[in-house]
Amino acid sequence: MSDTRKRSRKRFGGHAHKKQKGSRELEVGAQGVLITCNMNERKCTSEAFSLLNEYADALYGPEQPTDSLSEDEEADEDAEAALKKEVSQIQSSMKTHQQRFTAVDSGANNVVFIRTHGVDPEKLVHHILSDLHQTKKRKSRVILRMLPVSGTCRAFPEDMEKFLSEYLERWFKAPLRATYQICFKARNSSHSKRDDVIKAVAGLVGKMNPLNKVDLTNPELSIIIEIIKSVCCVSVVTDYTLFRKYNLQEVAKEPTNQSTGPQEAANQTQEHECGERAEGDDVSAGNGRKEAELE
């Protein structure tokens, strides 16, 4: 009897409760928003959806709902035919329509990843931070940092070098040039060493244009590299210092000095980051000759 039950479970999906790999996990090829929080991922996810939808609607217009079967169509068919038609339409809809935002398993504690479709993550997140910086309105309780992810690759040195050598050209290839810093963090991963990644990325940027210069105080661009397990998430952002390391709680605070400029903002940001060193390894750097630890 027990053998029969085991065979039955195996045949009819008795192990379906096990976690399946796939679209619900962070994987190479994904774009989206990486969000850190403090011990409450469920609340963080809810706040993230609320914020992202609010500002995405303003930028791109309300999301269009998926078409569904009408009651009149279903009434004209028997149950079996209606079921087949519904399944067919759902499958067709899934191919042509994806939700604007989908939560996936990030692979790390206190980190939420919202996958995006039809949205520019860098533009959207910058729009959110810009509004919070101007209005000083706190729109979240548990979200800490909100980082766009516009590119992903395998978190192995050879894969990262190949991917970044093309990805970074959009900002750094001659005749383009900029001041920059590199911000690195790894979670649940030992595939790539921090210093090796920083030096390799700085080397790539230098080859694209020797006029690209390091600026750890107030750079024009910040290269964000976040590794979780075997996935490397990448983005290049502006106003990283001004927006307090893309920290939603910090950027909404009223400045203690109304005349605070870029230099003062940079000093305040660095002081804040140095106080958070225990949270992880986050490094900003330029090339092999100059690098500074921020966390």
Side-chain angles (χ1 to χ4, degrees), residues 7 26 32 67 139 182 202 204 222 228 253 267-268 290:
R7 288 195 298 270
L26 175 59
D67 295 334
K139 293 191 174 183
I182 302 169
L204 290 174
S222 295
I228 302 180
K253 287 183 178 179
N267 292 338
Q268 292 174 8
K290 186 176 182 182

Side-chain angles (χ1 to χ4, degrees), residues 133 242 244 254-266 268:
H133 179 261
L242 179 64
R244 305 302 297 275
E254 291 288 349
T256 55
N257 185 351
Q258 296 298 325
S259 62
T260 299
Q263 179 64 49
E264 288 76 7
Q268 292 174 8

Side-chain angles (χ1 to χ4, degrees), residues 109-171:
N109 292 330
N110 299 324
V111 178
V112 171
F113 192 90
I114 306 295
R115 186 163 187 165
T116 60
H117 178 75
V119 170
D120 182 343
E122 291 170 357
K123 180 180 179 181
L124 177 58
V125 173
H126 188 276
H127 181 59
I128 294 173
L129 270 296
S130 178
D131 183 64
L132 298 182
H133 179 261
Q134 292 176 6
T135 63
K136 299 301 178 185
K137 290 183 179 180
R138 291 188 61 182
K139 293 191 174 183
S140 67
R141 290 179 177 272
V142 300
I143 293 177
L144 297 180
R145 298 172 69 198
M146 181 174 278
L147 300 172
V149 175
S150 57
T152 51
C153 65
R154 284 162 50 87
F156 298 95
E158 58 275 13
D159 296 284
M160 293 173 63
E161 182 175 0
K162 180 179 179 181
F163 175 77
L164 291 171
S165 63
E166 297 181 4
Y167 175 84
L168 295 175
E169 288 183 348
R170 172 180 163 191
W171 297 273

Side-chain angles (χ1 to χ4, degrees), residues 56-238:
D57 286 351
L59 283 176
Y60 303 101
E63 186 174 12
Q64 298 299 319
T66 308
D67 295 334
S68 59
L69 288 173
S70 67
E71 294 183 1
D72 292 339
E73 291 176 333
E74 292 182 354
D76 295 337
E77 301 173 318
D78 57 43
E80 184 177 358
L83 180 60
K84 289 181 179 179
K85 185 173 182 179
E86 183 176 3
V87 170
S88 176
Q89 290 197 359
I90 290 175
Q91 291 175 341
S92 176
S93 177
M94 289 177 65
K95 293 179 181 179
T96 58
H97 178 87
Q98 294 182 359
Q99 288 184 321
R100 181 177 282 172
F101 302 112
T102 306
V104 301
D105 182 9
S106 69
N109 292 330
N110 299 324
V111 178
V112 171
F113 192 90
I114 306 295
R115 186 163 187 165
T116 60
H117 178 75
V119 170
D120 182 343
E122 291 170 357
K123 180 180 179 181
L124 177 58
V125 173
H126 188 276
H127 181 59
I128 294 173
L129 270 296
S130 178
D131 183 64
L132 298 182
H133 179 261
Q134 292 176 6
T135 63
K136 299 301 178 185
K137 290 183 179 180
R138 291 188 61 182
K139 293 191 174 183
S140 67
R141 290 179 177 272
V142 300
I143 293 177
L144 297 180
R145 298 172 69 198
M146 181 174 278
L147 300 172
V149 175
S150 57
T152 51
C153 65
R154 284 162 50 87
F156 298 95
E158 58 275 13
D159 296 284
M160 293 173 63
E161 182 175 0
K162 180 179 179 181
F163 175 77
L164 291 171
S165 63
E166 297 181 4
Y167 175 84
L168 295 175
E169 288 183 348
R170 172 180 163 191
W171 297 273
F172 297 104
K173 187 176 181 179
L176 299 175
R177 65 176 182 175
T179 58
Y180 72 98
Q181 66 176 341
I182 302 169
C183 303
F184 174 91
K185 184 159 188 152
R187 298 177 175 87
N188 301 335
S189 174
S190 59
H191 300 299
S192 299
K193 294 183 179 180
R194 181 182 65 188
D195 293 344
D196 293 343
V197 171
I198 290 172
K199 291 177 181 179
V201 174
L204 290 174
V205 174
K207 288 180 181 178
M208 292 177 188
N209 189 341
L211 296 178
N212 292 320
K213 299 298 181 181
V214 180
D215 185 344
L216 303 181
T217 302
N218 189 33
E220 295 170 314
L221 299 174
S222 295
I223 304 171
I224 310 298
I225 299 177
E226 295 267 342
I227 294 177
I228 302 180
K229 292 186 175 180
S230 62
V231 179
C232 174
C233 303
V234 187
S235 62
V236 177
V237 302
T238 58

Side-chain angles (χ1 to χ4, degrees), residues 36-54:
T36 64
C37 62
N38 189 9
M39 303 300 293
N40 195 336
E41 293 181 24
R42 185 183 295 272
K43 177 65 174 175
C44 176
T45 303
S46 176
E47 287 186 353
F49 273 117
S50 178
L51 266 178
L52 293 172
N53 277 302
E54 175 186 348

